[in-house]
Amino acid sequence: MKVLVAVKRVVDYNVKVRVNSDNTGVDIANVKMSMNPFDEIAVEEAGRLKEKGLVTEIVAVSCGVDKCQETLRTAMAIGADRGILVETDAELQPLAVAKLLKAVVDKEQPSLIILGKQAIDDDANQVGQMLAALGDLPQATFASKVELAADKASVTREVDGGLETVALALPAVVTTDLRLNEPRYVTLPNIMKAKKKPLETVKPADLGVDVAPRLKTLKVAEPAKRGAGVKVPDVATLVAKLKNEAKVI
């Protein structure tokens, strides 16, 4: 069984992001970049399925600039067997990424596609669902447990009321949540091995996909700073402030 895992290069989650001077986006100059944490969970899950003997090959795919190769190498250090970079300098919006992944899926014919449920930069939470729709594939989002058997997958997913278990016919799309697993620490020997694994580079035009943005960002601004809190002497004063000042009761 072949598994395809999509990974995205984003600003590292430990970095405090800042809006650039012209308010057109986030300043990423000289900022540490890393793999999207949810995608890291997806790669780890694919690796665990392979260790159980359920998966024979893991293919990592990333869409973006040339430096996304670093993200793919990290995925290969975690456990992916090879990487595919869809290289473009264009701004990639969720629909464009989904179309690119659909083209790669058509070419690779994987039995399972695993993605992080969302990226921590735009928080769109759209690519997995769009990919499933474009490919007419079953989908299970927010997975906290994945089990494979023959040509089916059983996925436990997190919903508002608790946990829901769904059965999917393969091929299918699964998006991962935080509680699915804890990614392993990437060791130096595995990093060195990853440098020797094959990495293919293609262009959107090679896949026949138009990645022109459909949406235009008008302005990016930091949220308003919150005012300082105040202490009140008793409950009666608190209730009065909530009623007369905050007007929430």
Side-chain angles (χ1 to χ4, degrees):
M1 179 185 295
K2 181 191 292 187
V3 173
L4 188 143
V5 185
V7 296
K8 185 177 184 181
R9 179 176 181 263
V10 299
V11 176
D12 189 87
Y13 68 92
N14 286 312
V15 174
K16 178 177 173 57
V17 295
R18 301 182 185 279
V19 176
N20 55 26
S21 58
D22 55 3
N23 292 103
T24 57
V26 173
D27 186 4
I28 59 172
N30 302 315
V31 171
K32 181 183 178 183
M33 308 291 283
S34 62
M35 186 189 302
N36 177 48
F38 290 101
D39 296 339
E40 196 172 355
I41 291 170
V43 179
E44 173 66 25
E45 188 62 22
R48 294 188 184 191
L49 292 172
K50 185 178 180 182
E51 289 168 354
K52 292 178 182 177
L54 301 172
V55 170
T56 55
E57 184 182 25
I58 301 170
V59 182
V61 182
S62 189
C63 306
V65 298
D66 180 66
K67 289 186 177 179
C68 289
Q69 290 189 33
E70 301 168 6
T71 307
L72 287 170
R73 293 295 179 191
T74 301
M76 288 187 276
I78 295 174
D81 297 294
R82 58 188 175 93
I84 299 174
L85 171 62
V86 183
E87 185 182 356
T88 175
D89 293 327
E91 176 195 353
L92 291 178
Q93 295 176 351
L95 181 59
V97 176
K99 288 180 177 179
L100 291 172
L101 292 177
K102 166 67 166 52
V104 175
V105 167
D106 289 343
K107 177 183 175 183
E108 294 289 332
Q109 294 294 309
S111 298
L112 182 65
I113 304 103
I114 308 180
L115 312 85
K117 71 171 184 177
Q118 65 194 73
I120 62 171
D121 51 1
D122 56 20
D123 273 334
N125 183 15
Q126 294 175 337
V127 172
Q129 292 88 330
M130 287 179 169
L131 173 59
L134 290 171
D136 194 24
L137 298 170
Q139 62 173 305
T141 55
F142 317 130
S144 61
K145 185 177 181 181
V146 177
E147 296 177 311
L148 298 181
D151 58 348
K152 292 186 178 180
S154 175
V155 178
T156 302
R157 55 189 303 269
E158 300 187 358
V159 295
D160 291 341
L163 298 176
E164 175 186 61
T165 302
V166 295
L168 308 172
L170 299 179
V173 176
V174 173
T175 69
T176 61
D177 213 334
L178 283 174
R179 278 164 286 280
L180 179 58
N181 61 53
E182 184 175 342
R184 70 194 67 187
Y185 178 77
V186 181
T187 62
L188 182 58
N190 286 337
I191 293 174
M192 300 307 292
K193 290 177 184 177
K195 292 182 179 180
K196 299 180 180 179
K197 292 183 178 180
L199 196 160
E200 177 188 358
T201 300
V202 297
K203 301 287 186 180
D206 300 332
L207 301 174
V209 177
D210 176 16
V211 296
R214 266 61 175 180
L215 304 174
K216 181 180 179 181
T217 301
L218 300 180
K219 183 180 180 182
V220 177
E222 292 187 9
K225 293 183 178 180
R226 297 177 62 181
V230 296
K231 290 184 178 181
V232 294
D234 50 45
V235 175
T237 307
L238 173 61
V239 172
K241 284 183 174 291
L242 291 173
K243 183 176 181 181
N244 302 322
E245 295 181 18
K247 299 186 184 300
V248 295
I249 58 173

